[in-house]
Amino acid sequence: MAARVTMSDVAARAGVSAKTVSNVLHGAPGASPETRRRVMEAVTQLDYRLNTSASALRSGRRGSITLAIPTLQQPLYAALAQEVMKAAGGVAVILELTRGEPDREQEILDGTWARQSDAAILVPRGLDPTAQSPTDDTPSERALVLIADDGPPALPRAACPASAQAELIAAHLRELSRHHPAVVGISSDADRWTAACTEQLRRAGLTVDDELVLRADSPDGLLGGVEAVARLAHAGAPVDAVVCHNDALAAGVTSALRRRGVRVPDDVAVIGRGDTETAIFSTPTLTSVSLDLPALASAALGLLGPDPTRADDDAARVIEIAPALSVRDSTVNSAGAGRSAAAAPSGN
């Protein structure tokens, strides 16, 4: 059996002290952004898991965490929940499915999770997190962390920046000489990805017409992607790539394109987000942006210190995880996908 990775191992890899590693993982102030980056890279490389059970015992907590996510139907949320449970070790994780309803997410922000657990992680979808904050009477010894692209300074937050994800996508499409992408985002007040992706693609010199920036009303399954292809066909504008908010939408797009006789990736390349099992087992397999969910889960748990809201350094309360691009058959086929003539999906 492999020896358990310790905080000292992470410290040695990052070139810092074990105390610094502990401070970074618990959201304490003092560490520079570069130090935090090195520590989180070491955590990911060594597959370190914070011993939150021991932390809970030392702090006198019972050691239970509420994880509030919109749904388990969305592969991205389901995979994130699995990683949070793995990283939590012996700490009980209580799932709260908000269905992305603003009222239910507001209840989490207001502290309803404290009735059943000692800390909470919220993944918002129905609320714009920048406009929200916990109520003033939320006990300071309790902890609430967001996993979101944005949020109020009062709340610790773990994120994989949407702009960094979009830069990877733009670079890949330019490499493939795909200059006319469509963007399939989602209808969500918490969504920052759709706008960031569109802006970055345009900055990279790609042509993204306003009519080709779609927001799916059914974002958690293949249906949203199928509907997006029908809307693209109706628009009739040339498209040689479709970039999707998540892998489920990308799988739906791919299926609908192929049913219309459009070759993927020869005619249209497709990119998903999440690097979930949906991407791995789709036909063709999906190129997808990896959000490094294990590191994201560990970062969120690391921010659940005894009182992270007391940190004086705002940067110490935000941990950003670097994305990666997993290239598969939906953009690069066995022959190596080159540029094809831009074409609109068939309206048949």
Side-chain angles (χ1 to χ4, degrees), residues 20-333:
T20 297
V21 173
S22 178
N23 287 342
V24 169
L25 293 181
H26 288 90
S32 68
E34 173 62 21
T35 296
R36 285 192 292 274
R37 183 190 64 78
R38 295 206 315 269
V39 169
M40 294 312 300
E41 283 184 353
V43 166
T44 300
Q45 292 166 1
L46 296 175
D47 195 24
Y48 175 68
R49 294 289 183 265
L50 182 66
N51 191 344
T52 47
S53 299
S55 298
L57 291 172
R58 285 195 296 271
S59 65
R61 295 184 176 192
R62 296 186 301 275
S64 57
I65 299 167
T66 290
L67 174 61
I69 58 177
T71 178
L72 287 175
Q73 180 184 354
Q74 167 56 248
L76 180 56
Y77 295 138
L80 176 61
Q82 183 178 26
E83 293 300 336
V84 169
M85 292 177 178
K86 286 168 59 178
V91 175
V93 176
I94 302 169
L95 276 179
E96 178 82 19
L97 301 182
T98 65
R99 298 193 294 273
E101 296 174 357
D103 289 346
R104 296 189 69 178
E105 293 180 357
Q106 185 62 57
E107 289 174 356
I108 298 295
L109 287 169
D110 291 342
T112 56
W113 51 266
R115 302 169 186 167
Q116 61 185 3
S117 56
D118 305 288
I121 298 171
L122 170 63
V123 183
R125 184 161 79 178
L127 290 176
D128 178 354
T130 60
Q132 311 299 323
S133 62
T135 55
D136 293 338
D137 58 355
T138 299
S140 61
E141 68 271 12
R142 293 168 179 159
L144 173 64
V145 169
L146 294 180
I147 296 181
D149 290 329
D150 208 347
L155 287 177
R157 180 168 54 86
C160 183
S163 58
Q165 299 173 40
E167 287 178 5
L168 293 175
I169 294 169
H172 186 54
L173 292 179
R174 283 178 59 86
E175 181 183 5
L176 297 174
S177 296
R178 306 279 180 158
H179 299 299
H180 299 274
V183 176
V184 180
I186 66 172
S187 299
S188 162
D189 287 344
D191 175 52
R192 296 291 184 272
W193 179 90
T194 306
C197 185
T198 302
E199 180 181 359
Q200 187 60 46
L201 293 178
R202 288 170 173 167
R203 283 183 178 178
L206 307 182
T207 301
V208 187
D209 296 333
D210 289 342
E211 63 184 347
L212 299 183
V213 180
L214 312 179
R215 291 183 180 268
D217 294 323
S218 304
D220 296 321
L222 276 64
L223 176 61
V226 173
E227 292 174 341
V229 170
R231 292 164 64 185
L232 290 174
H234 179 73
V239 172
D240 57 14
V242 182
V243 183
C244 301
H245 178 274
N246 59 62
D247 290 338
L249 289 173
V253 165
T254 301
S255 176
L257 287 173
R258 296 179 75 194
R259 286 204 303 271
R260 291 172 179 266
V262 178
R263 299 172 300 169
V264 178
D266 304 78
D267 300 326
V268 176
V270 179
I271 298 177
R273 174 173 172 267
D275 204 20
T276 62
E277 288 188 349
T278 298
I280 297 171
F281 294 109
S282 290
T283 303
T285 57
L286 294 173
T287 291
S288 182
V289 179
S290 170
L291 310 186
D292 198 347
L293 296 182
L296 197 60
S298 292
L301 288 167
L303 287 168
L304 292 175
D307 187 8
T309 62
R310 290 182 181 172
D312 295 325
D313 180 6
D314 284 350
R317 297 199 297 266
V318 179
I319 296 178
E320 294 187 343
I321 304 301
L325 187 67
S326 298
V327 178
R328 300 191 179 92
D329 292 343
S330 66
T331 59
V332 179
N333 60 25

